[in-house]
Amino acid sequence: MSILVKNASNTADLQPPYPYSTWIGYWEGKSGIKLDANTKYNCPAGDCKNACYKKDFDGCHVQKVSDYTHKMYIIPLCSSCNQRTDYFFVDENLLVPAP
């Protein structure tokens, strides 16, 4: 099911917890989904047309628009979508709670 999200603010200084060195690594570890380095994947943002290799994805902090608890989640997004200031749809099953 798709859910409306937005990029969380002021997250650039947040670091993934040990033993993860990247937010993509954290997302892979918690979601159980491993991205192959040699495969192109579509950006999970519903209206994005970018297809990227694993190295081109950012592990992004997002928040559900309809959730006023301000809970953050990690999801892989292309660099362009990591800079978005609007709302966009993603598959809710790809969201991993941020620590």
Side-chain angles (χ1 to χ4, degrees):
M1 176 169 98
S2 290
I3 189 156
L4 195 61
V5 298
K6 63 180 180 177
N7 282 310
S9 301
N10 303 316
T11 61
D13 292 335
L14 297 178
Q15 297 298 314
Y18 179 82
Y20 304 102
S21 59
T22 65
W23 285 112
I24 287 291
Y26 175 83
W27 179 83
E28 286 181 319
K30 297 298 183 180
S31 71
I33 300 169
K34 298 291 183 198
L35 299 178
D36 179 73
N38 299 314
T39 301
K40 277 193 167 185
Y41 298 92
N42 292 329
C43 179
D47 59 350
C48 182
K49 304 295 184 216
N50 290 335
C52 305
Y53 291 104
K54 177 180 175 177
K55 67 179 180 61
D56 301 317
F57 279 107
D58 297 327
C60 302
H61 289 79
V62 298
Q63 295 173 302
K64 295 177 181 178
V65 171
S66 61
D67 182 4
Y68 297 102
T69 65
H70 305 291
K71 185 173 180 174
M72 289 191 288
Y73 300 86
I74 306 299
I75 190 168
L77 295 174
C78 72
S79 294
S80 296
C81 287
N82 190 22
Q83 304 302 316
R84 292 175 72 156
T85 58
D86 62 337
Y87 301 158
F88 51 95
F89 285 98
V90 297
D91 183 338
E92 187 172 21
N93 295 321
L94 295 177
L95 297 176
V96 169

